[in-house]
Amino acid sequence: MMNKYLFLGVLSILLLSCKEEKGQDKFPDIPVFPATSNSNIVIQPVVNEINKILYNDSSLVYKHYPDTISFYSVRTGVSHSIKSGVFVYGDGFFIVENKNKEYEALNDITLEKQDIKIIDESARYKRGEDSLRSIHTQKSDYEINQINDSLFIRYFSAEYNIPKDKIPYTDNLKKGDLYVHTGQDQFIILNAPYSLDQFLSPLLQPTEKKILPKFKRHFTSLEDAQPPKNIFKEYDYAMMNKSWVWGGGGNHYVLSIPYRVETGYYYIDIFMNQQKGKFKIMSSSDPEFKIIPHKINNQLYFVNNRQLYKAFTK
C-alpha cells in the first residue's frame, strides 16, 4: 500500500506536470467593472462586506458580521455605522444601542440623533410590591404579585395613554427592554416587568385590537424582494487562468486534496434609461447581480459579491 509520503511525492510530480493555463481576453477594449463602455452609465461602489440588506424608498440598512449595522440615506448620501446588537425601526427613525449600552434614535433621512422618551418604572413596580407585602402579611407571594401586576398595569395604561381595548405596537429591543408605540406617543421602556411585557405583547392577546402605527417607510429584505427586470445580460466568457490549489482540512490522517480553480472574464451588457453599455468582470463563477427592485432618486442599487453599488445615468 502506498504510504502518505510516497503519495504526496507522486501527486506533486503530477501537479507540476499540469502547468498553469493562461487564457486570452476576447475583448481587450471593453473596460473592467465597475467602469462601462458608455460614459453616461456610471456604476459606483457604496459599501462592502454586506451580509444582509434591508431597503425602503429612502434608506438602505445593511448588516455585517458579527454585530455592525450600517445605514445609508439615499436622499442625502449620508452614511452611519455602529456596532450594535439592537436594530428596530420606529416611525421615521432607527433605534440602536451604542458602545455605552445606551439607546440612540437616529433620524432615517439625516441619520442625526433625535430625542425619544425613555421610561424606567422598575423602581415604582418594586415599591408597589414592597408596600403590598407590608400591608397584606397573610397573602402568599403569588397573591401579592397578582395584585401588584394588576395595579401597575392599570397605572401604566393611564399614565402612558394606552387604551384599554387596544394593544400598542411593541418591539423587543433586548431582554426586558421594549419599544412601544401607543398611537399617541412612542417611547422605550427599560427593565419592563414580566407582567407588563405580557400585557403589551400582541401575540399573547390575539382577541384584542392592536394599534398599528402609520410608519412612514416600511423596510423589505432584499432576500424577500420580488426580482425586478434585469438590466444585466451576460453574452460571453473567456477563461483567463486555471491553476491547482490545495483544499483545507489536511492533517496527519486526512490528506488535503488539490482541486482546479478557473477564473475568467464574464462579458456583460448593461441597459439603463434607454442607454446601453458594456463591461467585463473577473470572477471564478457567474456574477450574481441582486438588484433592489425600485429606483431611489433615479438611482439603481444592486449587490454583487457582498458589495453594494449604485448605478445611474448622467
Side-chain angles (χ1 to χ4, degrees), residues 80-110:
H80 179 79
S81 294
I82 185 170
K83 284 192 173 182
S84 175
V86 172
F87 166 62
V88 166
Y89 180 62
D91 194 356
F93 57 87
F94 307 110
I95 299 174
V96 292
E97 186 184 46
N98 63 28
K99 62 183 180 181
N100 298 320
K101 302 300 181 183
E102 298 169 340
Y103 292 115
E104 292 182 2
L106 305 174
N107 183 281
D108 69 343
I109 299 296
T110 65

Short mmCIF file of all heavy atoms in Angstrom, two decimals, residues 80-110:
data_model
loop_
_atom_site.label_atom_id
_atom_site.label_comp_id
_atom_site.label_asym_id
_atom_site.label_seq_id
_atom_site.Cartn_x
_atom_site.Cartn_y
_atom_site.Cartn_z
N HIS A 80 -23.84 55.99 8.11
CA HIS A 80 -23.51 55.90 9.55
C HIS A 80 -23.40 54.43 9.90
O HIS A 80 -24.26 53.63 9.54
CB HIS A 80 -24.61 56.58 10.38
CG HIS A 80 -24.36 56.52 11.86
ND1 HIS A 80 -23.48 57.36 12.51
CD2 HIS A 80 -24.87 55.72 12.83
CE1 HIS A 80 -23.47 57.09 13.79
NE2 HIS A 80 -24.31 56.09 14.01
N SER A 81 -22.34 54.05 10.60
CA SER A 81 -22.14 52.67 11.04
C SER A 81 -22.01 52.64 12.55
O SER A 81 -21.45 53.57 13.16
CB SER A 81 -20.88 52.06 10.41
OG SER A 81 -21.02 51.93 9.02
N ILE A 82 -22.51 51.58 13.15
CA ILE A 82 -22.43 51.45 14.60
C ILE A 82 -22.40 49.98 14.96
O ILE A 82 -23.06 49.16 14.31
CB ILE A 82 -23.62 52.17 15.29
CG1 ILE A 82 -23.47 52.15 16.81
CG2 ILE A 82 -24.95 51.56 14.87
CD1 ILE A 82 -24.47 53.04 17.54
N LYS A 83 -21.61 49.62 15.96
CA LYS A 83 -21.63 48.26 16.49
C LYS A 83 -22.80 48.17 17.45
O LYS A 83 -22.81 48.81 18.50
CB LYS A 83 -20.31 47.94 17.19
CG LYS A 83 -19.17 47.66 16.24
CD LYS A 83 -17.97 47.08 16.96
CE LYS A 83 -16.89 46.64 15.97
NZ LYS A 83 -15.74 46.04 16.64
N SER A 84 -23.78 47.38 17.09
CA SER A 84 -24.98 47.28 17.90
C SER A 84 -25.67 45.96 17.66
O SER A 84 -25.81 45.52 16.52
CB SER A 84 -25.94 48.44 17.56
OG SER A 84 -27.16 48.29 18.27
N GLY A 85 -26.08 45.31 18.73
CA GLY A 85 -26.86 44.10 18.62
C GLY A 85 -28.34 44.40 18.54
O GLY A 85 -29.16 43.50 18.49
N VAL A 86 -28.69 45.70 18.56
CA VAL A 86 -30.08 46.13 18.57
C VAL A 86 -30.37 46.91 17.30
O VAL A 86 -29.61 47.79 16.91
CB VAL A 86 -30.37 47.02 19.80
CG1 VAL A 86 -31.76 47.63 19.71
CG2 VAL A 86 -30.22 46.23 21.09
N PHE A 87 -31.46 46.57 16.63
CA PHE A 87 -31.92 47.36 15.49
C PHE A 87 -33.43 47.27 15.41
O PHE A 87 -34.00 46.20 15.20
CB PHE A 87 -31.30 46.89 14.18
CG PHE A 87 -32.01 47.47 12.97
CD1 PHE A 87 -32.02 48.83 12.76
CD2 PHE A 87 -32.67 46.65 12.08
CE1 PHE A 87 -32.67 49.37 11.67
CE2 PHE A 87 -33.33 47.17 10.98
CZ PHE A 87 -33.32 48.55 10.77
N VAL A 88 -34.10 48.40 15.60
CA VAL A 88 -35.55 48.47 15.50
C VAL A 88 -35.88 49.72 14.70
O VAL A 88 -35.25 50.77 14.88
CB VAL A 88 -36.22 48.53 16.89
CG1 VAL A 88 -37.67 48.94 16.80
CG2 VAL A 88 -36.11 47.17 17.58
N TYR A 89 -36.87 49.62 13.81
CA TYR A 89 -37.31 50.79 13.05
C TYR A 89 -38.56 51.35 13.68
O TYR A 89 -39.55 50.64 13.85
CB TYR A 89 -37.59 50.40 11.59
CG TYR A 89 -38.04 51.58 10.75
CD1 TYR A 89 -37.22 52.68 10.56
CD2 TYR A 89 -39.30 51.59 10.16
CE1 TYR A 89 -37.62 53.75 9.80
CE2 TYR A 89 -39.71 52.66 9.39
CZ TYR A 89 -38.87 53.73 9.21
OH TYR A 89 -39.27 54.81 8.46
N GLY A 90 -38.51 52.62 14.06
CA GLY A 90 -39.67 53.30 14.61
C GLY A 90 -40.38 54.11 13.54
O GLY A 90 -40.26 53.84 12.35
N ASP A 91 -41.11 55.11 13.94
CA ASP A 91 -41.86 55.94 13.00
C ASP A 91 -40.97 57.06 12.48
O ASP A 91 -40.99 58.19 12.96
CB ASP A 91 -43.09 56.51 13.70
CG ASP A 91 -44.08 57.09 12.72
OD1 ASP A 91 -43.76 57.12 11.52
OD2 ASP A 91 -45.15 57.53 13.13
N GLY A 92 -40.12 56.73 11.49
CA GLY A 92 -39.23 57.72 10.92
C GLY A 92 -37.87 57.78 11.57
O GLY A 92 -37.11 58.72 11.35
N PHE A 93 -37.52 56.75 12.37
CA PHE A 93 -36.20 56.73 12.99
C PHE A 93 -35.78 55.29 13.27
O PHE A 93 -36.59 54.37 13.28
CB PHE A 93 -36.18 57.55 14.29
CG PHE A 93 -37.19 57.11 15.31
CD1 PHE A 93 -36.89 56.10 16.21
CD2 PHE A 93 -38.44 57.70 15.38
CE1 PHE A 93 -37.82 55.69 17.15
CE2 PHE A 93 -39.37 57.30 16.31
CZ PHE A 93 -39.07 56.29 17.19
N PHE A 94 -34.49 55.11 13.46
CA PHE A 94 -33.92 53.83 13.84
C PHE A 94 -33.56 53.86 15.32
O PHE A 94 -33.13 54.90 15.83
CB PHE A 94 -32.65 53.52 13.04
CG PHE A 94 -32.81 53.62 11.56
CD1 PHE A 94 -32.22 54.64 10.84
CD2 PHE A 94 -33.56 52.67 10.87
CE1 PHE A 94 -32.36 54.73 9.47
CE2 PHE A 94 -33.71 52.75 9.50
CZ PHE A 94 -33.11 53.78 8.79
N ILE A 95 -33.69 52.73 15.99
CA ILE A 95 -33.23 52.60 17.37
C ILE A 95 -32.07 51.62 17.38
O ILE A 95 -32.20 50.49 16.90
CB ILE A 95 -34.34 52.12 18.31
CG1 ILE A 95 -35.51 53.11 18.34
CG2 ILE A 95 -33.78 51.93 19.74
CD1 ILE A 95 -36.70 52.63 19.14
N VAL A 96 -30.93 52.05 17.93
CA VAL A 96 -29.75 51.20 18.06
C VAL A 96 -29.20 51.37 19.47
O VAL A 96 -29.66 52.21 20.23
CB VAL A 96 -28.67 51.56 17.02
CG1 VAL A 96 -29.14 51.22 15.61
CG2 VAL A 96 -28.29 53.04 17.11
N GLU A 97 -28.20 50.56 19.77
CA GLU A 97 -27.56 50.65 21.08
C GLU A 97 -26.09 50.99 20.86
O GLU A 97 -25.40 50.34 20.09
CB GLU A 97 -27.70 49.32 21.81
CG GLU A 97 -27.19 49.34 23.24
CD GLU A 97 -27.26 47.96 23.88
OE1 GLU A 97 -26.85 46.98 23.24
OE2 GLU A 97 -27.73 47.88 25.03
N ASN A 98 -25.61 52.05 21.53
CA ASN A 98 -24.22 52.47 21.33
C ASN A 98 -23.26 51.68 22.21
O ASN A 98 -23.66 50.78 22.97
CB ASN A 98 -24.08 53.97 21.53
CG ASN A 98 -24.41 54.42 22.96
OD1 ASN A 98 -24.26 53.66 23.92
ND2 ASN A 98 -24.87 55.65 23.10
N LYS A 99 -21.97 52.03 22.12
CA LYS A 99 -20.95 51.28 22.85
C LYS A 99 -21.09 51.39 24.37
O LYS A 99 -20.55 50.58 25.11
CB LYS A 99 -19.56 51.75 22.42
CG LYS A 99 -19.27 53.21 22.72
CD LYS A 99 -17.90 53.62 22.21
CE LYS A 99 -17.61 55.08 22.50
NZ LYS A 99 -16.28 55.49 21.97
N ASN A 100 -21.82 52.42 24.83
CA ASN A 100 -22.07 52.58 26.27
C ASN A 100 -23.33 51.87 26.73
O ASN A 100 -23.79 52.07 27.84
CB ASN A 100 -22.16 54.07 26.61
CG ASN A 100 -20.88 54.81 26.32
OD1 ASN A 100 -19.78 54.30 26.56
ND2 ASN A 100 -21.00 56.02 25.79
N LYS A 101 -23.89 51.04 25.83
CA LYS A 101 -25.11 50.28 26.11
C LYS A 101 -26.31 51.20 26.33
O LYS A 101 -27.25 50.87 27.05
CB LYS A 101 -24.94 49.37 27.33
CG LYS A 101 -23.80 48.37 27.19
CD LYS A 101 -24.00 47.45 26.00
CE LYS A 101 -22.88 46.43 25.85
NZ LYS A 101 -23.04 45.57 24.66
N GLU A 102 -26.27 52.38 25.69
CA GLU A 102 -27.39 53.32 25.76
C GLU A 102 -28.10 53.33 24.41
O GLU A 102 -27.46 53.21 23.36
CB GLU A 102 -26.87 54.73 26.08
CG GLU A 102 -26.18 54.83 27.42
CD GLU A 102 -25.45 56.16 27.59
OE1 GLU A 102 -25.17 56.81 26.55
OE2 GLU A 102 -25.15 56.54 28.73
N TYR A 103 -29.41 53.50 24.44
CA TYR A 103 -30.17 53.52 23.20
C TYR A 103 -30.06 54.89 22.52
O TYR A 103 -30.05 55.93 23.18
CB TYR A 103 -31.64 53.21 23.47
CG TYR A 103 -31.87 51.79 23.92
CD1 TYR A 103 -32.35 51.52 25.20
CD2 TYR A 103 -31.61 50.72 23.06
CE1 TYR A 103 -32.56 50.22 25.61
CE2 TYR A 103 -31.81 49.41 23.47
CZ TYR A 103 -32.29 49.17 24.74
OH TYR A 103 -32.49 47.88 25.15
N GLU A 104 -29.97 54.83 21.18
CA GLU A 104 -29.96 56.04 20.38
C GLU A 104 -31.06 55.93 19.33
O GLU A 104 -31.29 54.86 18.78
CB GLU A 104 -28.62 56.24 19.65
CG GLU A 104 -27.45 56.53 20.57
CD GLU A 104 -26.17 56.77 19.77
OE1 GLU A 104 -26.23 56.74 18.52
OE2 GLU A 104 -25.12 56.97 20.40
N ALA A 105 -31.72 57.05 19.07
CA ALA A 105 -32.67 57.14 17.97
C ALA A 105 -32.04 57.99 16.88
O ALA A 105 -31.58 59.11 17.15
CB ALA A 105 -33.99 57.75 18.44
N LEU A 106 -32.01 57.46 15.64
CA LEU A 106 -31.40 58.16 14.52
C LEU A 106 -32.46 58.46 13.48
O LEU A 106 -33.20 57.56 13.06
CB LEU A 106 -30.29 57.30 13.87
CG LEU A 106 -29.18 56.79 14.78
CD1 LEU A 106 -28.27 55.85 14.00
CD2 LEU A 106 -28.37 57.96 15.35
N ASN A 107 -32.55 59.72 13.06
CA ASN A 107 -33.48 60.10 12.00
C ASN A 107 -33.17 59.31 10.74
O ASN A 107 -32.01 59.18 10.35
CB ASN A 107 -33.35 61.61 11.73
CG ASN A 107 -34.34 62.07 10.69
OD1 ASN A 107 -34.15 61.88 9.49
ND2 ASN A 107 -35.41 62.70 11.15
N ASP A 108 -34.20 58.73 10.09
CA ASP A 108 -33.94 57.82 8.97
C ASP A 108 -33.58 58.55 7.67
O ASP A 108 -33.27 57.89 6.67
CB ASP A 108 -35.11 56.87 8.75
CG ASP A 108 -36.36 57.58 8.24
OD1 ASP A 108 -36.44 58.81 8.35
OD2 ASP A 108 -37.26 56.89 7.73
N ILE A 109 -33.60 59.88 7.66
CA ILE A 109 -33.17 60.65 6.49
C ILE A 109 -31.81 61.28 6.72
O ILE A 109 -30.87 61.09 5.96
CB ILE A 109 -34.19 61.75 6.14
CG1 ILE A 109 -35.55 61.13 5.82
CG2 ILE A 109 -33.69 62.57 4.95
CD1 ILE A 109 -35.55 60.25 4.59
N THR A 110 -31.68 62.02 7.83
CA THR A 110 -30.42 62.73 8.12
C THR A 110 -29.43 61.86 8.88
O THR A 110 -28.23 62.17 8.92
CB THR A 110 -30.70 64.00 8.94
OG1 THR A 110 -31.22 63.62 10.24
CG2 THR A 110 -31.72 64.89 8.24
#
